[in-house]
């Protein structure tokens, strides 16, 4: 199994002659007795959860029972070999580029096994695999098997809950598992999962069953590792893994590139820890999307390539560079994340903005088809803070939604938002932006489209959400239900004896069915069996408990009738409110 991996990596790394690449297979017992590992600062947090850990234990246990003489392949480790000196003693150490999730899980398992068993020799073996105890008489320094470079809090966790006998059963772990520190929370939860898996009699009904599992884990479960001594080769391997489907996110690679440009160890640690905290808070996919917003703020053009290539070629590769690698990039990410937290997430939001601002942002996030409007908000907030921000939001909402309703392409909509970004960058004052023509659109064509049949159009729900905003008092946050549907008031298929057929001719029904005045939002899923009721019954049985938090929809409850004149009046009222909000000229 080692040969094809060696062959693959030598092929990929053929242009490098700095260091040799070695590869071999190695069982877990040797992994935790021969190697000393360091988790470098460009690695992501520990993220394995209950499913991955339970599956690993089940798979190893199944293999130990059904193929006890065979081998179980855990995956690969990619390492950068280095020589380190501690307390005057030199030793080989391996930076772990790939394999952290499994290796950390195995470390947790060894602590849990130690705390489960009574056999003194097995307990001692687990301790020796987790750490080397200091012996000053033999000049043997104390050393942990795995060191996490930038996570001092992880080091403290290891001392208290992994190295210490009984630590994996600590009463502190549930609280840590609920904390916001991603690595610590997952490690604490992981040890709880491991104990739940190995302590009960369901998987291991007898001591012999558990002994078989542990013996197989240490002697038959194996990694294949590849190692290189050169740091440049190590980073290239890191990138190659990403290209070959190993699940490293864009943010992981971007962090690695920027940490590599920082020489000060203290600064590297500070920014690596900050990056991990943000990724843990947002989640990997959401963090990647946020970094795309940051890219847009600097490039002010549509993305043509993947996120990493965009940063490499259009930010770092610009003449002159728009950002420098290292501290400059980390500082920019932090500044925009702070703006995002306040202006979009409402964390520490200035009191001057109030609920009207909060409600508008929530409607935009809920109803608009993309987030391309967010970069101008962040750029404004960094430059002008909350000054006239509600005025900017109104103009951005009007422009972006109008472009969408007017059927501009996504590329055109993005280009128009980039024009707003350019106006913000060029302006010395808020008024210089707000008076710009970058917010112009065809209000007459917009009014014509909104007056027509809009049911079934993607923007219909947004338009109705906007009306809920316009009719809200903003004395409190607008409570938008999780499930919202667009409903006809005059039904699509009224019964043959219904009042609807008396109040509307067939031509009138056809003309008005899908227009704004005949549409409303409901806060629950539709119940088509009630949707065709006459208005008097439908208002009570269908609408009443489905519009409790929707101001515009609630107005229907005050209507005793819904004949043609009522529909026409409602339609005109809603269109007038929309026109006024879009600043339409009379």
């Amino acid at each position: 199994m080692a040969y094809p991996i060696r062959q693959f990596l030598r092929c990929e790394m053929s242009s490098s002659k700095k260091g040799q690449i070695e590869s071999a297979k190695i069982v877990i017992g040797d992994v935790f007795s021969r190697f000393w590992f360091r988790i470098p600062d460009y690695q992501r947090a520990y993220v394995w959860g209950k499913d991955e850990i339970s599956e690993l234990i089940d798979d190893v246990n199944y293999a130990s029972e059904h193929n006890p003489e065979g081998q179980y392949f855990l995956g690969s480790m990619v390492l950068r070999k280095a020589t380190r000196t501690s307390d005057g003693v030199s030793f080989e150490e391996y930076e772990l580029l790939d394999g952290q999730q499994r290796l950390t899980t195995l470390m947790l398992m060894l602590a849990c096994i130690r705390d489960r068993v009574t056999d003194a020799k097995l307990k001692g073996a687990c301790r020796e695999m987790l750490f080397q105890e200091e012996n000053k008489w033999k000049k043997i320094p104390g050393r942990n098997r795995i060191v996490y470079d930038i996570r001092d809090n992880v080091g403290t966790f290891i001392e208290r809950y992994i190295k210490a006998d009984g630590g994996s059963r600590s009463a502190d772990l549930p609280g840590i598992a609920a904390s916001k520190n991603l690595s610590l929370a997952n490690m604490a939860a992981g040890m709880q999962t491991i104990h739940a898996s190995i302590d009960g009699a369901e998987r291991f009904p007898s001591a012999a069953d558990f002994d078989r599992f542990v013996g197989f884990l240490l002697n038959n479960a194996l990694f294949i590792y590849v190692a290189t001594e050169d740091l440049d080769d190590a980073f290239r391997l890191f990138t190659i893994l990403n290209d070959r489907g190993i699940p490293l996110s864009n943010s992981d690679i971007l962090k690695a590139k920027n940490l590599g440009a920082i020489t000060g160890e203290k600064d590297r640690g500070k920014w690596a820890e900050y990056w991990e905290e943000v990724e843990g808070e947002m989640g990997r996919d959401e963090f990647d999307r946020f970094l795309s917003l940051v890219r847009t703020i600097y490039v002010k053009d549509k993305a043509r390539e993947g996120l990493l290539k965009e940063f490499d070629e259009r930010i770092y590769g610009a003449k002159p560079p728009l950002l420098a690698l290292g501290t400059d990039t980390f500082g920019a990410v932090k500044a925009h994340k702070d703006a995002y937290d306040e202006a979009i997430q409402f964390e520490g939001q200035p009191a001057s903005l109030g609920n009207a601002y909060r409600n508008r942002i929530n409607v935009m996030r809920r109803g608009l088809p993309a987030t391309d409007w967010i970069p101008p908000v962040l750029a404004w907030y960094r430059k002008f803070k909350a000054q006239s921000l509600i005025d900017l939001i109104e103009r951005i909402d009007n422009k972006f939604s109008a472009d969408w309703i007017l059927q501009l392409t996504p590329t055109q909509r993005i280009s128009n938002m980039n024009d707003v970004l350019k106006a913000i960058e060029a302006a010395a004052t808020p008024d210089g932006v707000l008076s710009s023509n970058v917010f112009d659109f065809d209000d007459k064509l917009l009014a014509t489209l909104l007056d027509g049949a809009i049911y079934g159009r993607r923007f219909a729900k947004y338009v109705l959400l906007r009306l809920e905003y316009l009719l809200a008092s903003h004395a409190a946050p607008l409570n938008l239900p999780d499930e919202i549907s667009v409903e006809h008031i005059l039904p699509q298929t009224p019964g043959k004896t219904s009042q609807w057929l008396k109040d509307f001719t067939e031509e009138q029904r056809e003309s008005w069915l899908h227009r704004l005045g005949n549409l409303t939002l409901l806060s629950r899923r539709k119940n088509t069996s009630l949707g065709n009721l006459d208005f008097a019954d439908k208002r009570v049985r269908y609408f009443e408990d489905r519009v409790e938090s929707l101001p515009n929809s609630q107005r229907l409850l005050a209507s005793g009738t819904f004949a043609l004149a009522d529909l026409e009046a409602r339609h005109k009222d809603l269109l007038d409110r929309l026109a006024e909000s879009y600043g339409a000229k009379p």
Side-chain angles (χ1 to χ4, degrees), residues 398-409:
N398 287 349
K399 174 61 176 172
F400 193 81
S401 62
D403 284 353
W404 179 34
I405 295 168
L406 293 169
Q407 301 179 57
L408 272 66
T409 67

Side-chain angles (χ1 to χ4, degrees), residues 2 175 195 225 271 296 330 429 514 574:
H195 272 301
Y225 78 90
W271 286 120
T296 298
F330 285 120
T429 65
H514 297 319
L574 298 182

Side-chain angles (χ1 to χ4, degrees), residues 191-328:
M191 287 201 287
Q192 292 178 284
T193 296
I194 293 166
H195 272 301
S197 299
I198 68 176
D199 288 353
E202 183 178 347
R203 284 184 178 84
F204 306 110
S206 70
D209 292 317
F210 187 70
D211 289 348
R212 181 198 67 235
F213 165 76
V214 174
F216 187 90
L217 175 69
L218 298 180
N219 297 290
N220 297 70
L222 59 88
F223 280 106
I224 287 178
Y225 78 90
V226 290
T228 177
E229 295 181 357
D230 186 75
L231 184 60
D232 290 339
D233 281 355
F235 274 102
R236 292 183 64 197
L237 278 169
F238 187 81
T239 305
I240 289 168
L241 285 169
N242 189 59
D243 294 340
R244 293 301 180 192
I246 304 299
L248 301 173
S249 68
N250 288 316
S251 61
D252 290 325
I253 307 296
L254 194 60
K255 176 179 69 172
K257 293 172 71 71
N258 280 280
L259 287 175
I262 298 177
T263 55
E265 187 173 341
K266 184 176 179 181
D267 283 343
R268 291 179 80 219
K270 178 187 75 172
W271 286 120
E273 189 165 2
Y274 170 77
W275 196 277
E276 180 178 312
E277 288 174 357
V278 175
E279 186 179 49
E281 171 198 332
M282 301 187 79
R284 294 173 63 196
D285 292 342
E286 189 63 28
F287 190 32
D288 275 4
R289 284 189 283 270
F290 170 75
L291 292 172
S292 295
L293 301 179
V294 174
R295 180 221 71 90
T296 298
I297 291 168
Y298 285 93
V299 177
K300 300 177 184 64
D301 191 14
K302 181 180 178 181
R304 311 292 177 182
E305 304 284 352
L307 179 63
L308 293 173
K309 197 167 185 180
E310 286 283 320
F311 266 85
D312 279 344
E313 296 184 358
R314 308 185 74 184
I315 292 182
Y316 303 135
K319 306 293 185 184
L322 303 178
L323 278 174
L325 278 164
T327 302
D328 193 30

Side-chain angles (χ1 to χ4, degrees), residues 431-486:
D431 287 342
V433 182
L434 299 176
S435 60
S436 170
N437 62 5
V438 295
F439 300 106
D440 291 351
F441 57 89
D442 189 336
D443 58 343
K444 291 184 172 53
L445 180 56
L446 178 68
T448 300
L449 287 170
L450 292 176
D451 188 29
I454 67 170
Y455 182 81
R457 306 288 294 272
R458 287 188 62 205
F459 60 78
K461 184 181 290 187
Y462 164 77
V463 170
L464 291 166
L465 283 170
R466 185 180 175 112
L467 285 164
E468 299 296 347
Y469 169 82
L470 295 174
L471 284 154
S473 68
H474 305 303
L478 183 60
N479 181 21
L480 298 176
D482 292 336
E483 293 184 1
I484 298 181
S485 60
V486 178

Side-chain angles (χ1 to χ4, degrees), residues 117-129:
V117 302
T118 57
D119 185 282
K121 289 186 178 180
L122 180 53
K123 277 184 175 291
C126 289
R127 292 190 197 102
E128 291 174 3
M129 285 187 279

